[in-house]
Amino acid sequence: MKVLHVIPDLSPLSGGPVNALRGMAQAQASAGHEVAVVSTALGYQAWDESPRLSVRVFPCKDLSWHKSRALEEALPSFIKACDIAHLHGVWDFPILAAASACGKFGKPFIVRPCGMLDRWSMSQSAFKKNIYLELFGGTLLEDAAALLERRGRRDPEPERSAARRPVRQRASDREPDRGSMGYGLRAD
């Protein structure tokens, strides 16, 4: 299976999402999948690449929304080449651009909100986030093949509970397929 991961930046200072992606991508490559990671170059520190794991970063000067014209221009070729895209985040340009390209080329994508849709996070800058969801939520959340969510001690409700639109299928609603790296899809 050809897996594409899209994340706004790969800075170790970004914390959990970047660290989780690094382990996930390496595990998928070790299991025989072809894995590509696409991001902006903000804070990037080299990863251990392999024949099955490639990392491609693009210049970006926009520290807030991670808008990168070079990344936007390159995304269609990455999307066309993948079997599935895994989008790490909600609020940043690379995520929205990847979701849009997936729709254009008929590729399934998974969204991992990384806590961005839980109640506490949604209460921070709530007006701005609700406008974003109204304008772009259909492309990003409704069209996702799956929404990977967490349930934790602080908020036992799914992350999606704070956002308005329902998602067709959540990865947590299914039993994981042990041979598929958690996507419910097999590399044949």
Side-chain angles (χ1 to χ4, degrees), residues 84-110:
I84 190 164
H86 190 149
L87 314 182
H88 301 263
V90 175
W91 311 119
D92 296 288
F93 173 78
I95 305 307
L96 185 60
S100 178
C102 285
K104 181 177 180 180
F105 297 111
K107 298 290 183 159
F109 66 94
I110 293 169

mmCIF file of all heavy atoms in Angstrom, residues 84-110:
data_model
loop_
_atom_site.group_PDB
_atom_site.id
_atom_site.type_symbol
_atom_site.label_atom_id
_atom_site.label_comp_id
_atom_site.label_asym_id
_atom_site.label_seq_id
_atom_site.Cartn_x
_atom_site.Cartn_y
_atom_site.Cartn_z
ATOM 1 N N ILE A 84 -3.847 5.907 -0.126
ATOM 2 C CA ILE A 84 -4.599 6.571 0.945
ATOM 3 C C ILE A 84 -3.729 7.693 1.522
ATOM 4 O O ILE A 84 -2.510 7.569 1.584
ATOM 5 C CB ILE A 84 -5.018 5.575 2.059
ATOM 6 C CG1 ILE A 84 -6.012 6.234 3.023
ATOM 7 C CG2 ILE A 84 -3.816 4.991 2.768
ATOM 8 C CD1 ILE A 84 -6.768 5.253 3.893
ATOM 9 N N ALA A 85 -4.378 8.775 1.904
ATOM 10 C CA ALA A 85 -3.675 9.890 2.543
ATOM 11 C C ALA A 85 -4.112 9.981 4.001
ATOM 12 O O ALA A 85 -5.282 9.781 4.319
ATOM 13 C CB ALA A 85 -3.971 11.199 1.816
ATOM 14 N N HIS A 86 -3.166 10.277 4.851
ATOM 15 C CA HIS A 86 -3.423 10.409 6.288
ATOM 16 C C HIS A 86 -3.065 11.841 6.658
ATOM 17 O O HIS A 86 -1.898 12.227 6.583
ATOM 18 C CB HIS A 86 -2.564 9.401 7.039
ATOM 19 C CG HIS A 86 -2.908 9.280 8.479
ATOM 20 N ND1 HIS A 86 -2.759 8.116 9.172
ATOM 21 C CD2 HIS A 86 -3.388 10.163 9.367
ATOM 22 C CE1 HIS A 86 -3.116 8.290 10.426
ATOM 23 N NE2 HIS A 86 -3.506 9.543 10.562
ATOM 24 N N LEU A 87 -4.055 12.633 7.036
ATOM 25 C CA LEU A 87 -3.878 14.056 7.311
ATOM 26 C C LEU A 87 -3.822 14.273 8.819
ATOM 27 O O LEU A 87 -4.754 13.917 9.533
ATOM 28 C CB LEU A 87 -5.014 14.862 6.686
ATOM 29 C CG LEU A 87 -5.363 14.496 5.228
ATOM 30 C CD1 LEU A 87 -6.467 15.392 4.704
ATOM 31 C CD2 LEU A 87 -4.142 14.527 4.343
ATOM 32 N N HIS A 88 -2.750 14.874 9.280
ATOM 33 C CA HIS A 88 -2.501 15.036 10.716
ATOM 34 C C HIS A 88 -2.778 16.476 11.123
ATOM 35 O O HIS A 88 -1.906 17.335 11.020
ATOM 36 C CB HIS A 88 -1.056 14.653 11.044
ATOM 37 C CG HIS A 88 -0.736 13.235 10.675
ATOM 38 N ND1 HIS A 88 -0.773 12.215 11.593
ATOM 39 C CD2 HIS A 88 -0.406 12.670 9.486
ATOM 40 C CE1 HIS A 88 -0.457 11.082 10.987
ATOM 41 N NE2 HIS A 88 -0.234 11.332 9.710
ATOM 42 N N GLY A 89 -3.988 16.744 11.590
ATOM 43 C CA GLY A 89 -4.368 18.077 12.024
ATOM 44 C C GLY A 89 -5.687 18.497 11.409
ATOM 45 O O GLY A 89 -6.343 17.734 10.696
ATOM 46 N N VAL A 90 -6.073 19.741 11.689
ATOM 47 C CA VAL A 90 -7.343 20.267 11.196
ATOM 48 C C VAL A 90 -7.195 21.672 10.630
ATOM 49 O O VAL A 90 -7.683 21.967 9.550
ATOM 50 C CB VAL A 90 -8.415 20.287 12.320
ATOM 51 C CG1 VAL A 90 -9.701 20.944 11.859
ATOM 52 C CG2 VAL A 90 -8.678 18.878 12.830
ATOM 53 N N TRP A 91 -6.525 22.552 11.346
ATOM 54 C CA TRP A 91 -6.622 23.991 11.096
ATOM 55 C C TRP A 91 -5.615 24.556 10.099
ATOM 56 O O TRP A 91 -5.637 25.744 9.830
ATOM 57 C CB TRP A 91 -6.481 24.764 12.415
ATOM 58 C CG TRP A 91 -7.353 24.252 13.502
ATOM 59 C CD1 TRP A 91 -6.944 23.749 14.710
ATOM 60 C CD2 TRP A 91 -8.777 24.188 13.513
ATOM 61 N NE1 TRP A 91 -8.024 23.375 15.449
ATOM 62 C CE2 TRP A 91 -9.176 23.628 14.746
ATOM 63 C CE3 TRP A 91 -9.771 24.530 12.598
ATOM 64 C CZ2 TRP A 91 -10.497 23.417 15.092
ATOM 65 C CZ3 TRP A 91 -11.090 24.313 12.934
ATOM 66 C CH2 TRP A 91 -11.439 23.769 14.171
ATOM 67 N N ASP A 92 -4.730 23.781 9.561
ATOM 68 C CA ASP A 92 -3.646 24.331 8.752
ATOM 69 C C ASP A 92 -3.836 24.096 7.258
ATOM 70 O O ASP A 92 -4.440 23.103 6.836
ATOM 71 C CB ASP A 92 -2.312 23.725 9.208
ATOM 72 C CG ASP A 92 -1.989 24.105 10.634
ATOM 73 O OD1 ASP A 92 -1.652 25.271 10.857
ATOM 74 O OD2 ASP A 92 -2.099 23.241 11.524
ATOM 75 N N PHE A 93 -3.255 24.984 6.476
ATOM 76 C CA PHE A 93 -3.385 24.946 5.027
ATOM 77 C C PHE A 93 -3.003 23.609 4.390
ATOM 78 O O PHE A 93 -3.740 23.106 3.536
ATOM 79 C CB PHE A 93 -2.574 26.087 4.386
ATOM 80 C CG PHE A 93 -2.536 25.997 2.901
ATOM 81 C CD1 PHE A 93 -3.626 26.408 2.152
ATOM 82 C CD2 PHE A 93 -1.432 25.462 2.259
ATOM 83 C CE1 PHE A 93 -3.610 26.292 0.774
ATOM 84 C CE2 PHE A 93 -1.412 25.343 0.883
ATOM 85 C CZ PHE A 93 -2.498 25.762 0.140
ATOM 86 N N PRO A 94 -1.865 22.987 4.746
ATOM 87 C CA PRO A 94 -1.524 21.723 4.087
ATOM 88 C C PRO A 94 -2.602 20.651 4.233
ATOM 89 O O PRO A 94 -2.818 19.854 3.321
ATOM 90 C CB PRO A 94 -0.221 21.287 4.784
ATOM 91 C CG PRO A 94 0.375 22.565 5.266
ATOM 92 C CD PRO A 94 -0.803 23.421 5.665
ATOM 93 N N ILE A 95 -3.301 20.655 5.352
ATOM 94 C CA ILE A 95 -4.353 19.659 5.590
ATOM 95 C C ILE A 95 -5.540 19.910 4.666
ATOM 96 O O ILE A 95 -6.049 18.999 4.012
ATOM 97 C CB ILE A 95 -4.799 19.693 7.076
ATOM 98 C CG1 ILE A 95 -3.598 19.498 8.010
ATOM 99 C CG2 ILE A 95 -5.903 18.690 7.345
ATOM 100 C CD1 ILE A 95 -2.749 18.287 7.738
ATOM 101 N N LEU A 96 -5.986 21.147 4.611
ATOM 102 C CA LEU A 96 -7.110 21.496 3.744
ATOM 103 C C LEU A 96 -6.757 21.279 2.274
ATOM 104 O O LEU A 96 -7.561 20.739 1.504
ATOM 105 C CB LEU A 96 -7.533 22.946 3.986
ATOM 106 C CG LEU A 96 -8.771 23.404 3.226
ATOM 107 C CD1 LEU A 96 -9.986 22.570 3.601
ATOM 108 C CD2 LEU A 96 -9.022 24.873 3.494
ATOM 109 N N ALA A 97 -5.554 21.658 1.864
ATOM 110 C CA ALA A 97 -5.133 21.477 0.471
ATOM 111 C C ALA A 97 -5.069 19.994 0.110
ATOM 112 O O ALA A 97 -5.476 19.596 -0.992
ATOM 113 C CB ALA A 97 -3.772 22.136 0.250
ATOM 114 N N ALA A 98 -4.586 19.160 1.024
ATOM 115 C CA ALA A 98 -4.520 17.718 0.763
ATOM 116 C C ALA A 98 -5.917 17.116 0.674
ATOM 117 O O ALA A 98 -6.193 16.287 -0.200
ATOM 118 C CB ALA A 98 -3.696 17.022 1.850
ATOM 119 N N ALA A 99 -6.828 17.516 1.562
ATOM 120 C CA ALA A 99 -8.201 17.006 1.510
ATOM 121 C C ALA A 99 -8.865 17.390 0.192
ATOM 122 O O ALA A 99 -9.555 16.574 -0.436
ATOM 123 C CB ALA A 99 -9.013 17.545 2.691
ATOM 124 N N SER A 100 -8.649 18.606 -0.238
ATOM 125 C CA SER A 100 -9.217 19.068 -1.503
ATOM 126 C C SER A 100 -8.659 18.266 -2.682
ATOM 127 O O SER A 100 -9.403 17.840 -3.567
ATOM 128 C CB SER A 100 -8.913 20.555 -1.673
ATOM 129 O OG SER A 100 -9.411 21.022 -2.900
ATOM 130 N N ALA A 101 -7.347 18.028 -2.692
ATOM 131 C CA ALA A 101 -6.726 17.247 -3.769
ATOM 132 C C ALA A 101 -7.213 15.798 -3.753
ATOM 133 O O ALA A 101 -7.435 15.206 -4.813
ATOM 134 C CB ALA A 101 -5.199 17.307 -3.652
ATOM 135 N N CYS A 102 -7.397 15.237 -2.575
ATOM 136 C CA CYS A 102 -7.933 13.873 -2.483
ATOM 137 C C CYS A 102 -9.320 13.804 -3.115
ATOM 138 O O CYS A 102 -9.632 12.861 -3.851
ATOM 139 C CB CYS A 102 -7.988 13.409 -1.030
ATOM 140 S SG CYS A 102 -6.387 12.971 -0.331
ATOM 141 N N GLY A 103 -10.151 14.797 -2.833
ATOM 142 C CA GLY A 103 -11.477 14.836 -3.435
ATOM 143 C C GLY A 103 -11.404 14.942 -4.946
ATOM 144 O O GLY A 103 -12.139 14.260 -5.671
ATOM 145 N N LYS A 104 -10.517 15.772 -5.422
ATOM 146 C CA LYS A 104 -10.364 15.984 -6.867
ATOM 147 C C LYS A 104 -9.941 14.701 -7.586
ATOM 148 O O LYS A 104 -10.404 14.422 -8.687
ATOM 149 C CB LYS A 104 -9.329 17.080 -7.108
ATOM 150 C CG LYS A 104 -9.097 17.398 -8.564
ATOM 151 C CD LYS A 104 -8.102 18.541 -8.726
ATOM 152 C CE LYS A 104 -7.872 18.843 -10.195
ATOM 153 N NZ LYS A 104 -6.924 19.950 -10.367
ATOM 154 N N PHE A 105 -9.057 13.912 -6.949
ATOM 155 C CA PHE A 105 -8.532 12.710 -7.592
ATOM 156 C C PHE A 105 -9.184 11.416 -7.094
ATOM 157 O O PHE A 105 -8.735 10.320 -7.434
ATOM 158 C CB PHE A 105 -7.012 12.641 -7.424
ATOM 159 C CG PHE A 105 -6.314 13.784 -8.082
ATOM 160 C CD1 PHE A 105 -5.682 14.762 -7.321
ATOM 161 C CD2 PHE A 105 -6.309 13.921 -9.462
ATOM 162 C CE1 PHE A 105 -5.047 15.833 -7.928
ATOM 163 C CE2 PHE A 105 -5.680 14.994 -10.078
ATOM 164 C CZ PHE A 105 -5.053 15.956 -9.309
ATOM 165 N N GLY A 106 -10.224 11.537 -6.272
ATOM 166 C CA GLY A 106 -10.953 10.361 -5.805
ATOM 167 C C GLY A 106 -10.158 9.454 -4.890
ATOM 168 O O GLY A 106 -10.355 8.242 -4.878
ATOM 169 N N LYS A 107 -9.279 10.034 -4.093
ATOM 170 C CA LYS A 107 -8.466 9.245 -3.166
ATOM 171 C C LYS A 107 -9.040 9.328 -1.756
ATOM 172 O O LYS A 107 -9.421 10.407 -1.293
ATOM 173 C CB LYS A 107 -7.021 9.763 -3.140
ATOM 174 C CG LYS A 107 -6.312 9.659 -4.465
ATOM 175 C CD LYS A 107 -6.010 8.215 -4.817
ATOM 176 C CE LYS A 107 -5.223 8.161 -6.124
ATOM 177 N NZ LYS A 107 -4.491 6.916 -6.266
ATOM 178 N N PRO A 108 -9.096 8.205 -1.039
ATOM 179 C CA PRO A 108 -9.585 8.262 0.341
ATOM 180 C C PRO A 108 -8.559 8.930 1.246
ATOM 181 O O PRO A 108 -7.352 8.837 1.008
ATOM 182 C CB PRO A 108 -9.761 6.788 0.710
ATOM 183 C CG PRO A 108 -8.791 6.068 -0.168
ATOM 184 C CD PRO A 108 -8.713 6.858 -1.451
ATOM 185 N N PHE A 109 -9.071 9.597 2.275
ATOM 186 C CA PHE A 109 -8.164 10.191 3.252
ATOM 187 C C PHE A 109 -8.724 10.046 4.651
ATOM 188 O O PHE A 109 -9.927 9.945 4.857
ATOM 189 C CB PHE A 109 -7.852 11.661 2.933
ATOM 190 C CG PHE A 109 -9.011 12.607 3.029
ATOM 191 C CD1 PHE A 109 -9.258 13.314 4.192
ATOM 192 C CD2 PHE A 109 -9.831 12.813 1.936
ATOM 193 C CE1 PHE A 109 -10.321 14.197 4.276
ATOM 194 C CE2 PHE A 109 -10.895 13.704 1.999
ATOM 195 C CZ PHE A 109 -11.143 14.400 3.174
ATOM 196 N N ILE A 110 -7.799 10.012 5.585
ATOM 197 C CA ILE A 110 -8.107 9.883 7.007
ATOM 198 C C ILE A 110 -7.654 11.172 7.677
ATOM 199 O O ILE A 110 -6.602 11.706 7.349
ATOM 200 C CB ILE A 110 -7.333 8.692 7.607
ATOM 201 C CG1 ILE A 110 -7.852 7.383 7.016
ATOM 202 C CG2 ILE A 110 -7.427 8.676 9.126
ATOM 203 C CD1 ILE A 110 -6.972 6.194 7.338
#
